[in-house]
Each structure stands twice: as C-alpha cells, then as structure tokens.
Amino acid sequence: MAIEAPLKVWTERDAALLRLRLARPKANIIDAAMIAALQAAFDAHRSDVGIRAVLLDAEGPHFSFGASVEEHLAERCAAMLAGLHALLISMLEWPVPVLVAVKGQCLGGGLELAMGGSLMFAASDAKLGQPEIQLGVFAPAASCLLPPRIGQAAAEDLLFSGRAVGADEALRLGLVTSVTPDPDAAALAYFDQYLAGKSASSLACALAAARGGYLLRVRRRIAEVERLYLERLMQTRDANEGLAAFIAKRPPKWEHR
C-alpha cells in the first residue's frame, strides 16, 4: 500500500501563489517526513520567477498538534532539531512573504512552523501554544521567535506556563494578524489585495531589508538554544522522564534534576 505524501504542493493565481498544505489530518504531526517534504517544497520553488507569496495551511480540523514526541527522545532529537531549525531558517529567508492559515490546535512544533511565516490568519476556534514545558523540555525555536513577535514578558508567560491561548488573545498579543471564520479565505484575500499586484523582485528586497538584523539574531539564537537543549537539557533526568511519561500515557515523576 502506497504511503501518501505528508504535504500537498501546488501553485495558483497564475503561478503567483505557492500553496503548501499539511496533509496528515487530524494531527498533522511535524515529524521528519513532514519537515523533509516542506524543505523540499521550499527548495524546489525558491527560484520560481513571479511568485509573490506562499500560503501554508492544513487539512482537517487542526493545523498541527506539534512535533513528534518520539523524535524528541535523546537518541533522535539532534536530527529532529537540526531539520526543523534548518526549515525555519529557510522560511525566514524565503524571498517573498509566507502567509499561514491556522485553525483548531496549533501547538508546539506546529506553532514554531507557523511562526516561520510572515503573517498568521487564525480561525475563531484556534488554540495556539507551546506546551513543551509540561513534558519537561522547552521549545528551542519558539524561545527565539516568540519574544520579538509578542514581547519578552508575554513570550515567557507562554513558554514557562505551557498554556494555550485562544484566537482572540493571540490577536491581542500580536501573535496572529487576524481572527476570522475562514483563515484560508482571509489569507487569499490579503494576497489578492496587497501582494498580487506587487513586483516579486521588489518584495524580495523589501523582505531582506525588513528582516536583515532580525534574521541574523535568530540564526545565532537558534544555534545557541539548540546546543542548550542537546548538551544541558537532555542530560537531565527530568527531561527524559517527561518524554517517557508522555509516551507511556502516565503522569511524570519529577526529581528536579
């Protein structure tokens, strides 16, 4: 039996809009296969002339439950983090805006993926958060991407509590651009009104100008927090206990070491 691809890829609007759709509902887990498919799609279309934006969305009721917990285990997490972080840098460096439409749960690695985009359009039922701390770990990419997006104090609230916020709170925080019953339609309307008539080469220059210093900081910080995750966090007893407890569907037993 053939395994369906985890990602659907096509262009529309006379090839001015690249569409990427997570296609493993309902969870749309951000695992190695999904990361590889996304990276391949961005790489394959990076040099396409005339693309003015990307729209990333998802099949099913939820954008993504997050990254694969199994791939977070000590023996596998280095490869997982390297792949996800390389993908996020590719998205941040992409020459035109990446629009993201989210609905339902957008958690953990799913929210990190969404924050690799420019503007996020959220459904009224969206729940966004970084629950990693509840498993005894932390969210490396979100630790770098959340503070400049919503401010240090608000970012620390979400990173330390692990709580998810609803769409309206996410809008107040500046995490999402708009809240709408149909985020895909809202993203398409934004593209049609504000991006379709622009020069792709001019957009590329505008994006490089807006993100120059930000991208340099994110590159440096992601490398730093990746080392912290691998060399310090994953050497602790509690990080490994939290992941094992989640997989075994039991409460973790913290020893604070």
Side-chain angles (χ1 to χ4, degrees):
M1 181 178 177
I3 299 176
E4 292 189 7
L7 184 73
K8 293 181 178 177
V9 182
W10 73 99
T11 61
E12 60 183 53
R13 303 302 204 263
D14 295 323
L17 179 64
L18 174 63
R19 300 292 304 269
L20 305 178
R21 178 166 290 166
L22 309 184
R24 282 188 174 166
K26 66 177 182 180
N28 288 314
I29 294 295
I30 310 300
D31 59 7
M34 185 71 81
I35 292 168
L38 284 160
Q39 185 70 69
F42 278 107
D43 290 346
H45 292 276
R46 186 180 181 91
S47 299
D48 289 7
V49 175
I51 287 182
R52 269 86 91 195
V54 181
L55 174 52
L56 172 64
D57 61 12
E59 285 187 355
H62 303 286
F63 182 78
S64 174
F65 287 2
S68 165
V69 175
E70 289 78 9
E71 291 179 8
H72 273 74
L73 296 176
E75 63 273 15
R76 302 178 67 185
C77 64
M80 180 275 298
L81 288 179
L84 177 58
H85 294 166
L87 170 62
L88 293 174
I89 294 296
S90 293
M91 292 173 66
L92 293 169
E93 288 181 334
W94 229 66
V96 294
V98 177
L99 312 179
V100 186
V102 302
K103 56 189 174 182
Q105 295 189 44
C106 178
L107 303 174
L111 181 53
E112 290 180 320
L113 176 66
M115 287 192 291
S118 303
L119 304 176
M120 201 184 313
F121 302 83
S124 305
D125 70 344
K127 297 289 184 183
L128 306 96
Q130 299 291 161
E132 287 87 347
I133 195 67
Q134 297 175 26
L135 278 64
V137 295
F138 69 87
S143 299
C144 306
L145 299 177
L146 263 178
R149 194 173 188 115
I150 66 173
Q152 188 69 30
E156 290 187 2
D157 168 28
L158 297 187
L159 293 168
F160 300 165
S161 70
R163 71 184 183 93
V165 298
D168 289 338
E169 183 174 0
L171 180 63
R172 289 195 299 272
L173 290 172
L175 182 55
V176 304
T177 304
S178 72
V179 176
T180 172
D182 189 339
D184 294 271
L188 287 169
Y190 184 94
F191 173 81
D192 290 338
Q193 183 172 357
Y194 296 115
L195 300 177
K198 302 296 191 300
S199 159
S201 58
S202 297
L203 280 172
C205 291
L207 193 146
R211 289 200 175 165
Y214 168 71
L215 185 55
L216 288 173
R217 291 191 298 274
V218 169
R219 275 183 165 278
R220 185 187 73 249
R221 289 290 297 129
I222 280 185
E224 292 171 350
V225 298
E226 188 174 315
R227 286 194 299 271
L228 175 63
Y229 193 101
L230 297 173
E231 297 174 8
R232 182 174 169 188
L233 176 76
M234 291 311 296
Q235 305 307 310
T236 68
R237 181 262 179 201
D238 281 357
N240 290 280
E241 161 63 12
L243 295 169
F246 181 87
I247 292 171
K249 298 181 180 180
R250 60 172 175 80
K253 298 178 180 178
W254 305 129
E255 293 184 5
H256 313 293
R257 59 183 179 87

